[in-house]
């Protein structure tokens, strides 16, 4: 993204008006302006690094008395899969009901989400998910950005996941 920004700056006047970014940095920019409209966060939210998320997961699993290392590995994988699926938690749990300990996985996900909210924090996956939630909850915000971006170019579009695709589709 930085290389693209530099190239565009050399070719276009007022290049600072053009947003060239990763999905995540675009979403941070949007959320810093309007996340308060979701009610549970303020614009000074913290973005958890991978190690911050690992610590939070460890704390949450300890609080729930889930001490098995196998459960932790499955939980981390399921949490990521859930967040990248674009489904509601209920839908995700229903779709994966036959998999290892999904009732406990669901409880742990809810506890983890509550921990993030209590700490005014988002993990990396939440940046995209909360932006989609913001757009769905506040159509005027979506309309503003959809009008703001007359053209949308996605580099390596074939590598987008469902959540990234949903963002592009909403904005387009």
């Amino acid at each position: 993204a930085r290389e693209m920004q530099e190239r565009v700056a050399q070719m276009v006047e007022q290049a600072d008006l053009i947003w060239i970014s990763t999905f995540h940095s675009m979403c941070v920019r949007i959320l810093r302006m309007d996340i308060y409209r979701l009610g549970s966060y303020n614009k000074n939210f913290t973005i958890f690094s991978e190690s911050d998320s690992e610590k939070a997961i460890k704390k949450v699993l300890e609080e729930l008395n889930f001490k098995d290392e196998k459960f932790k590995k499955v939980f981390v994988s399921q949490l990521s899969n859930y967040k990248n699926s674009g489904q509601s938690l209920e839908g995700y749990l229903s779709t994966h009901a036959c998999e290892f300990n999904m009732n406990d996985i669901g409880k742990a996900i809810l506890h983890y989400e509550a921990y993030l909210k209590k700490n005014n924090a988002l993990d990396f996956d939440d940046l995209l998910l909360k932006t989609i939630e913001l757009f769905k909850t506040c159509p005027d915000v979506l309309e503003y950005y959809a009008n703001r971006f007359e053209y949308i170019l996605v580099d390596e579009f074939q590598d987008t996941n469902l959540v990234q695709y949903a963002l592009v589709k909403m904005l387009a």
Side-chain angles (χ1 to χ4, degrees):
R2 185 171 293 119
E3 182 180 336
M4 289 173 67
Q5 258 178 334
E6 291 168 2
R7 288 182 183 185
V8 169
Q10 292 172 357
M11 296 186 302
V12 177
E13 288 183 30
Q14 296 182 321
D16 56 321
L17 298 176
I18 300 171
W19 284 27
I20 299 173
S21 62
T22 64
F23 281 103
H24 291 87
S25 63
M26 176 193 73
C27 289
V28 168
R29 198 167 171 181
I30 291 168
L31 291 171
R32 290 280 183 219
M33 297 299 295
D34 291 300
I35 196 169
Y36 72 92
R37 297 190 59 188
L38 294 177
S40 302
Y41 299 90
N42 67 56
K43 68 179 183 171
N44 297 319
F45 61 87
T46 300
I47 302 170
F48 272 13
S49 66
E50 192 173 324
S51 66
D52 293 331
S53 293
E54 287 172 10
K55 289 175 191 168
I57 288 168
K58 183 178 180 185
K59 182 176 175 70
V60 162
L61 295 181
E62 284 174 2
E63 288 175 2
L64 293 172
N65 208 25
F66 296 138
K67 297 178 180 174
D68 180 25
E69 196 59 36
K70 179 182 179 189
F71 181 85
K72 180 184 176 196
K73 287 180 182 174
V74 171
F75 174 74
V76 168
S77 174
Q78 290 289 1
L79 177 65
S80 178
N81 290 343
Y82 153 63
K83 289 192 174 198
N84 286 298
S85 74
Q87 292 181 289
S88 68
L89 181 56
E90 297 77 23
Y92 182 80
L93 294 174
S94 175
T95 302
H96 298 273
C98 296
E99 295 180 29
F100 174 81
N101 260 348
M102 287 312 285
N103 286 334
D104 289 338
I105 296 289
K107 280 187 229 173
I109 289 173
L110 286 172
H111 204 73
Y112 175 73
E113 295 294 319
Y115 180 87
L116 290 174
K117 197 175 283 190
K118 183 178 109 181
N119 289 285
N120 194 40
L122 302 175
D123 66 21
F124 205 59
D125 291 327
D126 285 333
L127 298 173
L128 279 61
L129 294 173
K130 292 300 178 189
T131 304
I132 289 173
E133 182 182 340
L134 177 66
F135 287 167
K136 287 180 178 177
T137 307
C138 305
D140 59 310
V141 175
L142 171 59
E143 183 180 0
Y144 171 80
Y145 287 104
N147 290 330
R148 166 74 175 81
F149 302 125
E150 186 175 352
Y151 301 100
I152 299 171
L153 171 68
V154 179
D155 191 30
E156 303 290 339
F157 184 80
Q158 72 277 7
D159 295 333
T160 58
N161 64 27
L162 291 172
V163 176
Q164 293 165 339
Y165 175 74
L167 272 169
V168 172
K169 188 173 179 183
M170 291 174 96
L171 288 169

